Amino acid sequence: MLKLLIKMTRTILTSPLMDTTITEIYRNILSRFSSIPEYSDIISQILKELKPGPLSPKLRNLLRRFLRKLINTGITCVVDVKSQDVQLRYVQISSRRVVVVGLVKSESRPSTWHVVTLYFRRRGPLLPISYCTCEDYTYRGFPCKHMVKLKDFYITHLNDIYKKCEFLSYIVTFRE
């Protein structure tokens, strides 16, 4: 859905006129995203200005701003998927990367939870800027078992995550 929104916004920006059908389709797509706090203001402004016919300069500027925001920021989906050892907190998907944040329980100290942040390329492996708050990662700087646990948990529960966040409707593929 995110890819569709980006593509449709680019198409509208390059077209001189908007017909009634495209306006209604775009309005329906935008309404699905209007509940996301990062975009609610700009989407409401776009919906006010959106009408068939030539694009006004104000609407063109709003669409450009919205497109930049979509590409750079992405969409954050707060999820609460849990197991005994892992709690997935949120997933952020942009056109360039996926950020997964969660808590992973320490095996040596069961009362301790480590915050793990994973960065993936949209279609690729784990990025080196991923990190964990455990002592092992802090000392060595290499991916630790907590990162692996969260990555495996995320991949295993992709369907649950996408059901909770219907606007994240495309699947991210991983390569080792």
Side-chain angles (χ1 to χ4, degrees):
M1 193 63 115
L2 178 63
K3 286 166 82 174
L4 176 66
L5 182 62
I6 290 171
K7 191 173 186 176
M8 188 121 181
T9 305
R10 283 184 174 148
T11 305
I12 289 171
L13 273 169
T14 58
S15 65
L17 291 178
M18 288 208 12
D19 66 354
T20 309
T21 310
I22 292 175
T23 305
E24 288 307 310
I25 291 170
Y26 193 60
R27 193 177 292 278
N28 287 338
I29 293 170
L30 283 177
S31 65
R32 286 188 173 203
F33 287 86
S34 62
S35 63
I36 302 169
E38 293 113 312
Y39 302 112
S40 59
D41 289 344
I42 195 162
I43 287 176
S44 65
Q45 291 174 17
I46 290 171
L47 289 173
K48 285 179 191 172
E49 294 290 321
L50 192 63
K51 53 187 165 248
L55 291 180
S56 68
K58 183 177 180 182
L59 180 59
R60 227 178 253 291
N61 288 335
L62 285 170
L63 289 171
R64 283 188 191 116
R65 219 171 75 212
F66 180 56
L67 188 60
R68 249 183 274 123
K69 196 170 191 173
L70 271 176
I71 290 171
N72 294 330
T73 310
I75 294 174
T76 303
C77 177
V78 178
V79 292
D80 199 20
V81 182
K82 297 178 183 176
S83 75
Q84 275 187 318
D85 301 334
V86 181
Q87 295 179 6
L88 187 62
R89 293 299 181 166
Y90 75 84
V91 176
Q92 182 183 48
I93 295 184
S94 72
S95 63
R96 296 186 180 117
R97 68 179 182 197
V98 178
V99 181
V100 178
V101 177
L103 300 172
V104 179
K105 195 178 218 177
S106 173
E107 289 178 13
S108 58
R109 291 172 285 145
S111 62
T112 305
W113 290 78
H114 298 291
V115 179
V116 180
T117 305
L118 303 176
Y119 292 86
F120 300 98
R121 286 188 188 94
R122 272 278 315 288
R123 303 235 183 261
L126 194 65
L127 291 172
I129 55 174
S130 300
Y131 62 90
C132 179
T133 58
C134 72
E135 296 81 13
D136 183 39
Y137 181 76
T138 306
Y139 180 71
R140 291 185 316 125
F142 291 107
C144 60
K145 60 184 171 188
H146 307 110
M147 295 168 112
V148 172
K149 227 178 201 179
L150 183 62
K151 178 186 173 192
D152 292 345
F153 185 81
Y154 173 69
I155 292 170
T156 305
H157 292 85
L158 271 175
N159 288 336
D160 297 338
I161 293 164
Y162 291 122
K163 282 178 190 170
K164 289 183 179 207
C165 308
E166 66 182 42
F167 45 81
L168 301 177
S169 62
Y170 61 93
I171 299 295
V172 179
T173 58
F174 297 91
R175 287 180 296 186
E176 292 299 325

